[in-house]
Amino acid sequence: MLLKVLGSSGAEYPGYNPPAFLIDGALLLDAGTIGSKLTAREQLKIRDILITHSHLDHVKGIPFLADNIIINSGKTTITVHGIKETLDSLRRNLLNDTIWPDFTKISAAIEPVLRLKRITAGRRFRVGKFSVRAYPVNHTVPAVGYVLEDDKGRTLLYTGDTGPTSAIWKATEKMDAVIIEVSFPDSMSALAAKTGHMTPSLLVKELAKMKTPPGKVFITHPKPQYIQQIRKELHRIGQANIEMLIDGATYRI
Ligand SMILES: [Zn+2]
Ligand SMILES: [Zn+2]
C-alpha cells in the first residue's frame, strides 16, 4: 500500500496543507488538499474519496477537483463516501449552487462528476481493492475514522479529527500503520478537549487502548504554529515507531 501525503497539517500555511492522503493513486482519505498537489493526470485517476467529517479543512479540495475534472474533459465519476451528517452538510453548505455549483448534477459524460454515497459506521464495504470500515470518533461534529485492508492484507487505520475515543480502538486487530491526529502541545490540553483534538499525552493513552501495538504510528493534523513543541513532546514519549507525517512525502505500508 502506497500512501502519498498531499497534506497533513491542522492549518494552511506555506509548506503546510490540510489533510488528504492518496492511497495507491486512486483512493483519497479526506480531501483538504488536492488540486495544488496533483497533476491533471493524477487528479483524473482518483475514483473514491472517504471523508471523515464535514469540516472545511477535510473537504475543501472536492469542489476544485470536480471543476478540474470537467475542464480536463474527464469522463470519470468520483464517489465521495461519508456518513449521512457529512454528506448532508456537503449538499447543504458546499455543493449548494451558491458557494459552488452542484457537481452531483454536472457532468462531462453521462454520469455526473461527483456521486455522494452514504456509509454506515460499523458496516464493512468495498472500495476497489480495499475492504473498508468506518468507526465513530469523538469530534465537535459527527465524525468517523476509517480502517482499510487491501487485497494483500495490509492494514491502515486513520482517525481523522478526534479527541479521546474508544470504538475505533476496540474494533481493530493488528494494524500495519495508524494515522492519528495530534493537533496541540500538552500545554494546550484545555483547548484540545474543547475542540475535540489530541495532544501527545493523550496520544499515549489512545495507543494503550489498542489490543495489539501497531507497526507504525503516523501523526497528522499538528498546528504548524506549535509544530516544534509537538515534535519535542512526541520525541519524549520515546517510542521509535512514532513519526510525524511530512507533506509531499510517500510512505510504503
Ligand atoms: Zn475537524
Ligand atoms: Zn481538521
Side-chain angles (χ1 to χ4, degrees):
M1 200 188 297
L2 219 53
L3 163 75
K4 185 178 166 71
V5 178
L6 309 185
S8 64
S9 295
E12 190 171 80
Y13 265 89
Y16 297 96
N17 295 291
F21 308 100
L22 186 62
I23 312 291
D24 290 344
L27 169 66
L28 264 177
L29 287 176
D30 273 337
T33 303
I34 306 176
S36 60
K37 293 291 162 188
L38 295 177
T39 64
R41 240 178 109 92
E42 290 169 327
Q43 291 179 44
L44 286 170
K45 284 186 183 154
I46 296 170
R47 291 290 175 276
D48 294 274
I49 305 177
L50 301 175
I51 297 293
T52 58
H53 66 297
S54 59
H55 278 159
L56 190 63
D57 59 327
H58 298 253
V59 302
K60 78 176 174 61
I62 296 172
F64 298 106
L65 174 66
D67 188 53
N68 290 347
I69 301 283
I70 297 277
I71 300 301
N72 293 324
S73 304
K75 302 282 187 280
T76 54
T77 296
I78 297 168
T79 305
V80 178
H81 307 258
I83 53 173
K84 181 181 184 302
E85 293 88 341
T86 302
L87 299 186
D88 285 350
S89 185
L90 285 181
R91 273 189 208 102
R92 203 170 45 237
N93 302 313
L94 196 59
L95 303 166
N96 58 4
D97 283 330
T98 301
I99 295 290
W100 205 248
D102 181 358
F103 278 101
T104 65
K105 296 192 181 118
I106 300 169
S107 68
I110 298 159
E111 294 295 320
V113 65
L114 291 181
R115 173 173 51 206
L116 305 185
K117 195 166 178 192
R118 182 180 163 181
I119 57 150
T120 306
R123 195 178 297 163
R124 197 181 293 276
F125 58 102
R126 274 209 90 76
V127 176
K129 62 180 178 180
F130 299 95
S131 166
V132 183
R133 224 193 269 206
Y135 295 94
V137 293
N138 174 25
H139 197 39
T140 51
V141 295
V144 292
Y146 288 101
V147 175
L148 269 68
E149 182 172 353
D150 71 9
D151 51 356
K152 295 190 182 80
R154 303 296 289 171
T155 48
L156 171 68
L157 181 155
Y158 171 45
T159 63
D161 287 5
T162 186
T165 190
S166 57
I168 196 164
W169 305 129
K170 282 188 199 132
T172 53
E173 297 300 328
K174 181 166 174 21
M175 290 289 122
D176 292 307
V178 297
I179 303 174
I180 307 183
E181 80 117 290
V182 173
S183 295
F184 296 108
D186 282 332
S187 58
M188 299 175 80
S189 58
L191 184 60
K194 208 165 149 185
T195 54
H197 288 297
M198 300 235 256
T199 66
S201 291
L202 291 173
L203 168 73
V204 174
K205 290 183 188 158
E206 292 306 294
L207 290 175
K209 295 177 187 174
M210 293 189 80
K211 288 181 204 157
T212 319
K216 269 273 177 198
V217 178
F218 293 121
I219 303 301
T220 183
H221 214 273
K223 294 289 178 193
Q225 302 91 325
Y226 297 100
I227 203 156
Q228 296 311 336
Q229 186 62 26
I230 293 169
R231 185 171 285 129
K232 241 185 262 170
E233 291 175 5
L234 289 171
H235 188 69
R236 232 177 274 149
I237 295 170
Q239 232 175 278
N241 65 341
I242 298 177
E243 190 177 330
M244 287 181 94
L245 288 171
I246 298 168
D247 284 20
T250 299
Y251 302 79
R252 187 170 288 282
I253 292 165

